[in-house]
Amino acid sequence: MREILFHDGNTIPQVGFGTAAIGDMHQDDEHVTHTVLTALNAGYRHIDTASFYGNERSVGAAIKASGIPRDELFITTKVWDTQQGFDSTLKACNESLDRLGLEYVDLYLVHWPYPEKTKATWQAMEQLHSEGKVRSLGLSNFRQTDIESLLEFAKVKPVYNQLELHPYMTQKPLVAFCESVGIVVSCWSPLGSGNWNDIDSSEKPVNDDVIIEMAKKYAVSVGQIILKWDVQQGRIVIPKSESESHIRGNITLDDFTLTDDELTQIDNLNQDRRFGDDPDDAWQANLDRPVPSR
């Protein structure tokens, strides 16, 4: 599996497995463990979770049950808005490590920009980094202005920014900015097909005629076309699925290559259409959505 090099010298598998809302959001049980273990058995070595997902215990159980050596895995988790701030971020990371059953995570992210807490949160993350509890530091849903502000005081620079990015929401200016300052872009909900929103499936990119025709041409799934579009442009993808066939298909991307014209065709599907929350104000609503206490 191809890996991407961070500017801090660490590497990350380009295709990861997302764990948000396996079953349901905050579900933390044997179904989650089985699904993550299925992904690990299929060859995934990059697993993305978060304190807010409420499933770190089940993810940790899958990691343990897999028997895969720790140094062959790349594990990401995140600090939620209600946990931001210096002392609370330190506490949040230690709690995540405890739930995961790990001594360190490979990547620790600020889940959403919360501007008044960013500096204190990042300074706590830098301390966690110096203590070896996190190997790399990154961001999620950060806008260009958020990143510019952070870079003014950060001693340890972010390596990664995880964005809502799919063919209907390409975020090209933000992607270009991230790349210009050495930040690797990752795509959450890369297929734009999650069942966590109320948007009809007919309005999602997996049902776009342009992508469907490419899937027919290459005899692959529409999901594989979209993931290949990202991978060929150097982005990280973290698709989630609960179907074993889709789990395996999403990591099987080496048997075909999209042409430059096809990449452009998919780029041109952009509608600047978010299916998820808007980072301009998400933190305000998130303060009323605490991390599960269990």
Side-chain angles (χ1 to χ4, degrees), residues 14-16 44 165-167 187-192 206 211 220-241 246-253 256 258 263 266:
Q14 192 171 14
V15 181
Y44 291 82
L165 197 159
H166 49 73
C187 314
W188 64 259
S189 193
L191 306 183
V206 290
I211 294 170
V220 297
S221 71
V222 291
Q224 287 171 303
I225 292 292
I226 295 173
L227 296 174
K228 189 69 170 186
W229 165 71
D230 281 311
V231 167
Q232 282 186 222
Q233 297 183 83
R235 298 188 286 265
I236 292 167
V237 289
I238 47 169
K240 185 212 83 173
S241 178
H246 288 164
I247 288 171
R248 293 186 178 278
N250 288 343
I251 205 172
T252 307
L253 302 175
F256 68 102
L258 299 175
L263 295 175
I266 299 175

Side-chain angles (χ1 to χ4, degrees), residues 115-130:
E116 69 181 70
K117 295 288 185 73
T118 297
K119 185 171 184 178
T121 299
W122 194 257
Q123 288 173 335
M125 291 173 66
E126 290 178 330
Q127 179 171 316
L128 293 163
H129 180 266
S130 70

Side-chain angles (χ1 to χ4, degrees), residues 249-273:
N250 288 343
I251 205 172
T252 307
L253 302 175
D254 293 336
D255 296 337
F256 68 102
T257 301
L258 299 175
T259 66
D260 290 344
D261 179 64
E262 287 167 338
L263 295 175
T264 299
Q265 286 182 53
I266 299 175
D267 286 344
N268 290 340
L269 297 177
N270 180 52
Q271 303 173 8
D272 291 328
R273 185 176 184 187

Side-chain angles (χ1 to χ4, degrees), residues 7-169:
H7 67 68
D8 65 3
N10 294 324
T11 59
I12 181 172
Q14 192 171 14
V15 181
F17 186 72
T19 66
I22 294 176
D24 290 304
M25 187 64 79
H26 303 160
Q27 187 167 324
D28 197 19
D29 58 14
E30 291 182 358
H31 173 65
V32 178
T33 297
H34 173 75
T35 302
V36 176
L37 191 56
T38 298
L40 291 168
N41 289 337
Y44 291 82
R45 293 297 179 264
H46 167 191
I47 305 295
D48 180 281
T49 187
S51 59
F52 181 72
Y53 299 167
N55 61 16
E56 288 173 312
R57 292 189 189 281
S58 298
V59 171
I63 292 168
K64 183 177 180 180
S66 75
I68 298 168
R70 176 65 184 91
D71 62 3
E72 294 180 14
L73 297 173
F74 191 103
I75 310 299
T76 300
T77 195
K78 312 174 187 76
V79 58
W80 186 242
D81 297 44
T82 58
Q83 300 171 310
Q84 290 200 47
F86 188 84
D87 290 336
S88 51
T89 295
L90 297 178
K91 181 173 183 286
C93 183
N94 286 325
E95 290 174 344
S96 285
L97 290 173
D98 181 65
R99 288 189 290 263
L100 288 164
L102 301 176
E103 294 182 357
Y104 68 92
V105 290
D106 299 274
L107 180 61
Y108 199 44
L109 308 181
V110 186
H111 205 147
W112 287 92
Y114 183 178
E116 69 181 70
K117 295 288 185 73
T118 297
K119 185 171 184 178
T121 299
W122 194 257
Q123 288 173 335
M125 291 173 66
E126 290 178 330
Q127 179 171 316
L128 293 163
H129 180 266
S130 70
E131 293 172 352
K133 293 180 178 179
V134 299
R135 296 285 177 86
S136 294
L137 301 182
L139 311 167
S140 181
N141 301 298
F142 269 54
R143 302 158 294 185
Q144 179 172 336
T145 53
D146 300 313
I147 298 169
E148 289 172 333
S149 296
L150 185 147
L151 291 176
E152 291 179 359
F153 59 77
K155 295 178 181 177
V156 179
K157 307 297 184 185
V159 299
Y160 174 107
N161 192 15
Q162 189 178 107
L163 308 173
E164 179 180 355
L165 197 159
H166 49 73
Y168 288 176
M169 183 71 182

Side-chain angles (χ1 to χ4, degrees), residues 173-237:
L174 181 53
V175 170
F177 171 76
C178 288
E179 292 174 347
S180 76
V181 294
I183 293 174
V184 173
V185 170
S186 174
C187 314
W188 64 259
S189 193
L191 306 183
S193 60
N195 58 7
W196 40 265
N197 57 44
D198 58 3
I199 297 170
D200 190 84
S201 63
S202 65
E203 300 179 47
K204 296 182 177 181
V206 290
N207 283 302
D208 192 286
D209 288 342
V210 169
I211 294 170
I212 290 171
E213 287 305 309
M214 289 183 196
K216 290 178 181 177
K217 171 185 173 180
Y218 291 104
V220 297
S221 71
V222 291
Q224 287 171 303
I225 292 292
I226 295 173
L227 296 174
K228 189 69 170 186
W229 165 71
D230 281 311
V231 167
Q232 282 186 222
Q233 297 183 83
R235 298 188 286 265
I236 292 167
V237 289

